[in-house]
Amino acid sequence: MSIEKFSVEKVLSVHRWTPTLFSFTLTRPAHFKFAAGQFARIGLKVKDDLVVRAYSIVSSPYDETLEFFSIVVPDGAFTSNLQHLQVGDELYLEKIPYGFLTLARYQLPLPQDLWLLATGTGLAPFISMLQDFATWENYQQIYLVYSVRTVSELAYVKRIEEIALSFGEGHNGFKFVPIITRDPHAQLHDRLPILIENGELEAAVGQQLNAASSHVMLCGNPQMVDDTKEALKRRGLTMNRRGEGNIAVENYW
Ligand code: NAP
């Protein structure tokens, strides 16, 4: 990995949600342009090696800083070092962003109802998209569905409320739907593919998935992405290719 592909950026803040979940912000160089939903490649010097990982960007394309949401992977070469991050530390940021999980990829069906389905840190790209007024203008219904194991892992809830108030002012089609899979008392506690199959997700948002109107984005656990994709296909939805179709996906790890 050639170091010239990277710029060196400073850590501006670190927020710890739980012992294994944290968010951090970096300085944003003027050359770093991205679309909401894309990811950055971040590098960390471990001994003499540059270890690089992909991170979806939480911040909006208009923000002056770059925010990321991370889990600590036990014994992971990257995050077990990154978890000790402090304000003022330096990280490497690859100069160009990556990824195709962006709303611009949808041409048909025309935007109507948007389903943003995340597990864990896969929430990141959706927070970015929701901080773009165009998202709120283009979609009549927006459902943000966020699956975590325990309620303590439900990060960003306050931020989501604030975003809905400031960006979605006057928009009455937004619903935030948490799923807490290890809490049998939670209103929704089954995994996403099951909730699609048994109709509970649609009941919770008050609308049916529909091949003629739904844009569905999946981000997070790779097995969730695969299983949910199949559940959606069984409902008649199709993968978005060359602009056409309902489903767009990103594995977060
Ligand atoms: P996770 O296991 O991805 O769980 C988060 C949510 O996704 C939970 O509600 C979980 O439900 C659900 N889920 C898991 N598998 C699913 C499936 N096949 N279909 C539908 N839903 C599913 O938890 P996490 O805390 O985000 O990550 C767990 C581990 O993944 C970490 O400890 C780490 O080792 C690894 N990870 C690695 C990276 C990386 O960058 N390498 C990034 C994130 C996570 P259940 O409670 O039913 O399992």
Side-chain angles (χ1 to χ4, degrees):
M1 180 65 54
S2 136
I3 201 109
E4 293 78 48
K5 287 187 171 173
F6 293 80
S7 61
V8 177
E9 304 303 330
K10 261 204 162 47
V11 176
L12 298 172
S13 68
V14 181
H15 179 83
R16 296 179 202 283
W17 304 98
T18 70
T20 56
L21 284 176
F22 64 102
S23 295
F24 58 96
T25 55
L26 294 184
T27 48
R28 176 179 179 176
H31 64 252
F32 191 84
K33 307 271 189 277
F34 67 97
Q38 285 195 297
F39 60 87
R41 283 165 49 84
I42 295 179
L44 186 68
K45 272 274 172 73
V46 181
K47 298 195 178 110
D48 282 337
D49 292 330
L50 187 65
V51 184
V52 180
R53 292 288 182 274
Y55 273 93
S56 288
I57 304 162
V58 175
S59 15
S60 99
Y62 308 105
D63 283 341
E64 287 174 8
T65 59
L66 293 172
E67 180 173 346
F68 303 96
F69 181 25
S70 183
I71 187 162
V72 180
V73 181
D75 304 319
F78 191 86
T79 61
S80 51
N81 284 287
L82 195 71
Q83 66 173 315
H84 305 298
L85 205 64
Q86 289 189 351
V87 172
D89 286 353
E90 290 182 336
L91 289 175
Y92 292 80
L93 174 75
E94 197 171 328
K95 290 174 183 166
I96 51 166
Y98 291 88
F100 301 100
L101 190 76
T102 62
L103 291 169
R105 63 177 292 147
Y106 284 111
Q107 287 160 28
L108 278 176
L110 293 174
Q112 273 185 65
D113 47 294
L114 176 63
W115 304 63
L116 304 171
L117 313 185
T119 56
T121 48
L123 177 74
F126 302 146
I127 300 288
S128 182
M129 289 173 199
L130 292 174
Q131 294 177 93
D132 190 338
F133 283 110
T135 309
W136 298 88
E137 279 163 19
N138 289 342
Y139 290 91
Q140 287 146 38
Q141 271 77 38
I142 302 175
Y143 309 123
L144 176 62
V145 183
Y146 178 21
S147 174
V148 293
R149 292 180 288 197
T150 62
V151 72
S152 64
E153 294 173 355
L154 212 52
Y156 281 99
V157 173
K158 202 157 168 281
R159 222 6 220 287
I160 292 164
E161 286 166 6
E162 286 164 7
I163 290 171
L165 278 177
S166 51
F167 287 82
E169 200 192 3
H171 191 290
N172 49 21
F174 176 71
K175 280 210 176 91
F176 172 53
V177 182
I179 301 169
I180 303 171
T181 44
R182 312 257 169 128
D183 178 356
H185 302 297
Q187 200 186 351
L188 292 181
H189 55 258
D190 280 314
R191 287 181 163 190
L192 270 161
I194 295 173
L195 295 172
I196 289 168
E197 260 151 34
N198 66 16
E200 277 188 54
L201 181 64
E202 288 159 311
V205 305
Q207 180 166 7
Q208 303 267 301
L209 287 156
N210 185 339
S213 69
S214 303
H215 293 176
V216 188
M217 293 188 140
L218 311 177
C219 187
N221 185 308
Q223 195 59 52
M224 174 286 287
V225 169
D226 270 2
D227 297 349
T228 308
K229 203 162 72 180
E230 294 310 315
L232 291 167
K233 286 189 195 163
R234 285 194 288 277
R235 295 292 308 275
L237 274 64
T238 58
M239 295 304 290
N240 182 277
R241 295 216 168 83
R242 296 198 194 90
E244 264 186 61
N246 313 100
I247 311 164
V249 306
E250 191 87 86
N251 290 343
Y252 201 64
W253 33 293

